[in-house]
Amino acid sequence: MPATSGGADSDATGKKTAEAVQQEVAQEVSRLLQVIFAGVHKTGLTDLEAIEMAVRGAMHRAGAAALGQLLSMDSAPAPRAICGCGGQARFHSLRRRGLLSVLGPMEFSRAYYVCPHCHQGQSPRDRELDVEGTEFSPGVRRMMAAVGSETSFEQGREQLELLAGLEVTAKAVERQAEAIGAAIEAGEQKEIRQAKQLDLPEVCAPAVPVFYIEMDGTGVPVTVKERAGRAGKKEGEPARTREVKLGCVFTQTTTDEDGRPIRDPDSTSYVAAIETAEEFGLRLYTEAWRRGWSRARQRVVLGDGAVWIWNLAEQHFPGAIQIVDLYHARQHIWELAAKLFPNDERTRTRWAALCVDRLDAGKIEALVKILRQLRPDSDKLAQDVDNDADYFERNAERMRYPKFRAQGLFVGSGVVEAGCRTVVGKRLKCSGMFWTVRGANAILALRCCRLSSRFEDYWESRSRAA
Ligand SMILES: [Zn+2]
């Protein structure tokens, strides 16, 4: 049964047969190749890039036509569909619609229903295909989210054009990336609510020898509107940034031959958001639970000296070993030494080395004693010395480094600091970028999902929900 040109065979219900669709697509491919070969014949085979791009374009167009045929084939209309009002919508007509697919723009037709009670129209097929209320196919949306989470929306647009031959606007990349980030965040919030109600499912993961939680904060530049009324670091100046709180979770099974801890490969997952410490605490707790916190043999919280970090540790992770990042603590000493002996490098170095020795040895009381015995000239300096003495005193138990090392534990929070750069800085702190809190949080949710290797799960759960 040969297909007539321009149309495919239909069976009695108006559905095209699979054979006819195949034939039509083959004809389209053949036609496009003829056009390309004719062009090459004229210009010669010298510009490979032009030819390969032309062939890709042609194959995409043929593919888009095939996809449109396939989707239309399957629209044998049921007479009725359930309406949102509870009534029965009736088949109205087959309607065509456009969609940008990974093969480029395409069209397909699907059944359209209208409800006689509430007069609402709907196409259930759109919901099944996860293209309701959007002009982009799931494959294209996924690409937009991937590039939008990695780079500026404008660069993402360029990448889609170059790498996938898709023409979209930077604004569309932004909207899709943010929409997917927001959808991921909605899923997170659902789990966080369950955590709040102590209603999380028991984790079946294998027991973890050592489980680490690290937290840190890092500023992200925000729009003028988002800064309004918020104090900056300097008195009387508005804040230019808002703080992103970042948490990392990872595990350790073993140490190297020198007894130094080894982080389990690919065990790190991240959570990040601009939000209150209280909100962030629940987020991190939920993540820790998901990763098997309840099944850990040893639990460690690592951070710098920030008060909110230890408040959260007490509240959500009681009983965990608390460790102040050794390098932050050393930094305190070096900064104080620079203030105490600004013009005397020898004394400064000797004094700092002495203090760092005490610190590394976990002899915090001795270190505090050195600080308390200082008699600085100025009130300002005396205050700085006092603050540091308080800092070491307050954190003494979190600075027993020899004890922690003897247990083969990490004493530095390098993972969360690297996370501040890879999760946050690399995408959100590029020059000239100013974020809204909503936009930043959507992109953060997306980046955490991808960098925690959960993006695949998200798409699977999306297609299951359809
Ligand atoms: Zn209705």
Side-chain angles (χ1 to χ4, degrees):
M1 193 164 41
T4 51
S5 66
D9 289 351
S10 304
D11 68 12
T13 63
K15 269 166 71 178
K16 285 176 188 165
T17 63
E19 255 169 80
V21 169
Q22 275 174 27
Q23 215 159 17
E24 197 161 290
V25 171
Q27 277 173 0
E28 178 71 0
V29 171
S30 153
R31 193 185 63 77
L32 288 164
L33 284 176
Q34 271 168 21
V35 172
I36 290 164
F37 286 177
V40 169
H41 190 68
K42 245 186 262 167
T43 59
L45 264 173
T46 49
D47 191 347
L48 176 57
E49 201 224 338
I51 299 167
E52 64 187 342
M53 292 307 249
V55 173
R56 180 177 78 174
M59 293 303 115
H60 277 191
R61 283 195 294 284
L67 188 59
Q69 301 272 21
L70 277 171
L71 295 181
S72 306
M73 232 174 88
D74 203 29
S75 54
R80 290 180 206 291
I82 295 161
C83 178
C85 76
Q88 291 265 331
R90 287 193 195 134
F91 175 76
H92 180 272
S93 55
L94 283 176
R95 283 200 174 180
R96 287 186 83 69
R97 66 159 289 179
L99 196 63
L100 184 68
S101 73
V102 298
L103 298 155
M106 45 107 27
E107 277 192 357
F108 68 103
S109 56
R110 76 283 192 243
Y112 181 74
Y113 297 82
V114 175
C115 174
H117 308 285
C118 70
H119 307 289
Q120 274 292 320
Q122 57 157 324
S123 286
R125 190 91 180 98
D126 287 357
R127 205 159 41 241
E128 285 167 26
L129 297 173
D130 192 14
V131 292
E132 210 174 21
T134 172
E135 56 191 300
F136 303 105
S137 74
V140 172
R141 299 208 304 274
R142 182 176 179 156
M143 287 183 189
M144 289 165 118
V147 295
S149 82
E150 281 302 318
T151 175
S152 77
F153 302 122
E154 173 54 29
Q155 275 174 8
R157 182 201 69 73
E158 284 171 20
Q159 287 184 353
L160 283 181
E161 190 174 359
L162 177 69
L163 303 179
L166 292 176
E167 280 183 36
V168 296
T169 63
K171 195 74 202 165
V173 174
E174 178 178 349
R175 286 213 185 99
Q176 293 305 320
E178 288 188 0
I180 288 163
I184 290 168
E185 173 62 9
E188 295 289 307
Q189 286 302 331
K190 199 174 141 197
E191 281 192 51
I192 290 169
R193 277 196 301 277
Q194 288 171 339
K196 210 170 167 180
Q197 291 154 9
L198 303 172
D199 188 25
L200 284 172
E202 200 50 52
V203 178
C204 305
V208 177
V210 194
F211 193 114
Y212 289 88
I213 289 174
E214 293 187 7
M215 294 174 243
D216 204 357
T218 181
V220 158
V222 290
T223 61
V224 175
K225 214 173 147 192
E226 301 282 10
R227 301 173 211 166
R230 303 182 74 94
K233 280 185 182 153
K234 281 190 195 155
E235 234 168 276
E237 271 183 25
R240 285 170 200 284
T241 60
R242 294 282 298 269
E243 186 189 50
V244 172
K245 293 185 175 69
L246 174 71
C248 300
V249 166
F250 65 94
T251 61
Q252 176 206 334
T253 307
T254 181
T255 55
D256 68 11
E257 47 205 32
D258 299 323
R260 282 188 297 248
I262 299 171
R263 175 160 53 128
D264 292 335
D266 302 322
S267 73
T268 313
S269 59
Y270 305 93
V271 292
I274 300 173
E275 61 189 353
T276 64
E278 194 188 346
E279 289 163 329
F280 180 75
L282 272 168
R283 181 187 298 277
L284 187 54
Y285 171 77
T286 308
E287 176 66 13
W289 182 274
R290 183 156 58 193
R291 295 290 312 279
W293 177 254
S294 63
R295 301 176 54 82
R297 286 205 281 275
Q298 222 170 2
R299 297 163 187 176
V300 181
V301 177
L302 257 157
D304 61 19
V307 173
W308 67 267
I309 291 177
W310 302 114
N311 286 343
L312 289 190
E314 291 294 340
Q315 190 187 346
H316 293 292
F317 311 107
I321 300 169
Q322 299 181 354
I323 303 176
V324 164
D325 172 60
L326 173 60
Y327 308 94
H328 269 94
R330 283 187 188 160
Q331 190 64 27
H332 272 259
I333 291 172
W334 282 107
E335 279 169 15
L336 187 61
K339 286 182 206 161
L340 287 167
F341 313 105
N343 305 314
D344 182 354
E345 202 192 326
R346 257 177 71 103
T347 313
R348 177 167 71 226
T349 310
R350 202 166 347 137
W351 184 84
L354 182 85
C355 291
V356 167
D357 275 353
R358 300 286 184 284
L359 176 69
D360 287 8
K363 292 178 177 161
I364 311 306
E365 287 74 10
L367 171 61
V368 171
K369 202 170 158 194
I370 295 174
L371 298 182
R372 297 277 187 223
Q373 280 167 351
L374 289 169
R375 294 283 172 268
D377 302 334
S378 76
D379 287 352
K380 170 81 181 72
L381 198 48
Q383 187 61 57
D384 287 344
V385 170
D386 256 2
N387 287 348
D388 270 330
D390 291 348
Y391 163 79
F392 287 108
E393 207 163 59
R394 188 173 64 235
N395 288 303
E397 290 313 312
R398 302 182 180 121
M399 294 177 174
R400 307 299 186 198
Y401 298 114
K403 188 177 87 183
F404 303 142
R405 284 203 163 114
Q407 294 179 76
L409 299 176
F410 283 99
V411 294
S413 57
V415 176
V416 75
E417 274 149 51
C420 281
R421 289 188 297 274
T422 53
V423 179
V424 186
K426 204 176 137 229
R427 176 67 184 90
L428 287 95
K429 290 200 208 186
C430 304
S431 75
M433 275 184 191
F434 297 98
W435 294 86
T436 62
V437 170
R438 188 191 56 78
N441 277 343
I443 296 301
L444 284 169
L446 187 52
R447 283 184 73 73
C448 286
C449 179
R450 296 190 74 219
L451 290 163
S452 306
S453 310
R454 278 204 277 263
F455 201 45
E456 201 61 46
D457 298 347
Y458 166 73
W459 282 99
E460 265 175 33
S461 71
R462 245 200 113 91
S463 52
R464 270 201 309 275

